[in-house]
């Protein structure tokens, strides 16, 4: 790669390099319902990443290095109020540190990476299902960054959205986080926050008694 001065994609990479770059220029992507996705991190090396979506357009992106539990709650509430996002349209990483939010944002959706897949039973877990769904949207050019987002780290993490060997039960899975950390030197918090957006596309719709559906 250094000799040719060209980007070489891994055979296991789920998103093409061109498709990843196009997320900054896909201005044709339509607007839609607003959501917030958040990868929670308190004091430590991980990032607290908050993304505000309008359909599949990212209209606000925030990274915070360090904050305490009360600040996490306040930031999420402020974002929801500023962008008029219902609490039920917020999804957050509930593994580990994010679990404390259950008592503060009772209507928000907790995301457990190791949970069972919602629709694709051949996936190892919910994280794998959402990762593949996200990659499909990226490759179709259906995601647009309609705000300022630094490129280098985002591209590096999306390039780590890769397939991995089938597990012992023959289930499809993503490249494990430990191996991603080896590649980029840190946790893929940005990618995790993007992947969680797929939860709202996969979750079952609740039918109204008089017809129609409720998100």
């Amino acid at each position: 790669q250094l000799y040719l001065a060209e980007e070489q994609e891994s055979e296991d990479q789920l998103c093409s390099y061109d498709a990843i770059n196009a997320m900054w220029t896909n201005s044709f992507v339509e607007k839609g319902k607003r959501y917030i996705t958040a990868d929670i991190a308190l004091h430590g090396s991980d990032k607290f990443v908050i993304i505000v979506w309008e359909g599949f357009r990212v209209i606000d992106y925030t990274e915070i290095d360090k904050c305490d539990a009360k600040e996490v709650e306040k930031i999420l509430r402020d974002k929801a109020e500023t962008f008029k996002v219902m609490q039920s349209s917020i999804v957050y990483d509930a593994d580990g540190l994010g679990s404390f939010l259950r008592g503060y944002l009772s209507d928000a959706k907790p995301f457990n990476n190791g949970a069972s897949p919602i629709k694709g039973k051949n996936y190892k877990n919910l994280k794998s299902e959402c990762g593949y769904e996200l990659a499909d949207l990226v490759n179709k050019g259906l995601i647009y960054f309609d705000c300022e987002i630094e490129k280098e780290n985002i591209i590096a993490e999306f390039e780590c959205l890769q397939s991995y060997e089938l597990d012992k039960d023959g289930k499809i899975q993503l490249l494990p986080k430990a191996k991603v950390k080896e590649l980029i030197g840190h946790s893929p918090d940005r990618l995790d926050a993007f992947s969680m957006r797929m939860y709202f596309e996969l979750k079952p719709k609740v039918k109204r008694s008089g017809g129609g559906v409720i998100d």
Side-chain angles (χ1 to χ4, degrees):
Q1 292 184 52
L2 290 173
Y3 176 75
L4 295 173
E6 294 178 353
E7 185 72 22
Q8 299 292 315
E9 296 175 6
S10 164
E11 292 182 357
D12 298 319
Q13 191 172 311
L14 297 179
C15 302
S16 74
Y17 186 72
D18 286 343
I20 294 171
N21 269 283
M23 291 189 290
W24 279 269
T25 57
N26 293 333
S27 57
F28 52 81
V29 173
E30 296 181 359
K31 298 179 180 180
K33 183 177 177 180
R34 290 188 175 183
Y35 298 96
I36 291 176
T37 59
D39 190 75
I40 307 298
L42 303 181
H43 295 288
S45 58
D46 292 351
K47 298 280 187 182
F48 174 26
V49 180
I50 313 103
I51 304 173
V52 183
W53 302 77
E54 194 168 44
F56 293 124
R57 297 170 75 100
V58 176
I59 59 173
D60 187 75
Y61 180 90
T62 305
E63 283 185 18
I64 299 172
D65 288 327
K66 294 181 179 180
C67 58
D68 59 32
K70 288 185 177 179
E71 288 175 317
V72 168
E73 180 198 355
K74 182 180 186 304
I75 290 167
L76 285 175
R77 288 186 182 278
D78 287 348
K79 289 288 186 185
E81 183 174 347
T82 298
F83 291 96
K84 297 179 173 58
V85 179
M86 295 187 298
Q87 199 174 114
S88 59
S89 295
I90 299 173
V91 62
Y92 62 90
D93 176 14
D95 293 329
L97 296 173
S99 60
F100 78 93
L101 278 177
R102 291 178 186 270
Y104 298 98
L105 298 173
S106 57
D107 290 333
K109 311 301 183 188
F111 187 97
N112 297 101
N113 290 286
S116 298
I118 296 174
K119 292 183 177 179
K121 302 302 181 184
N122 57 328
Y123 292 106
K124 179 179 180 179
N125 49 36
L126 180 59
K127 179 177 181 177
S128 296
E129 183 179 30
C130 286
Y132 272 82
E133 291 290 324
L134 175 65
D136 184 55
L137 283 183
V138 173
N139 288 327
K140 289 177 178 176
L142 297 179
I143 292 179
Y144 175 52
F145 296 160
D146 194 12
C147 61
E148 189 69 28
I149 300 181
E150 183 273 331
K151 267 192 168 185
E152 183 178 356
N153 288 320
I154 297 292
I155 290 174
E157 293 194 22
F158 268 86
E159 288 181 323
C160 291
L161 188 56
Q162 299 180 18
S163 61
Y164 192 59
E165 60 193 30
L166 300 179
D167 72 1
K168 58 182 177 61
D169 297 318
K171 302 289 187 180
I172 298 170
Q173 60 180 327
L174 296 174
L175 187 70
K177 180 171 284 191
K179 292 189 176 294
V180 173
K181 287 182 178 180
E182 290 177 9
L183 290 173
I184 60 177
H186 56 80
S187 178
D189 306 307
R190 303 170 181 92
L191 179 60
D192 289 345
F194 281 103
S195 294
M196 281 187 275
R197 172 65 180 84
M198 298 303 102
Y199 170 83
F200 293 109
E201 304 307 305
L202 292 167
K203 73 183 184 73
K205 306 296 183 182
V206 179
K207 292 185 177 181
R208 296 178 182 271
S209 58
V213 297
I214 304 172
D215 286 338

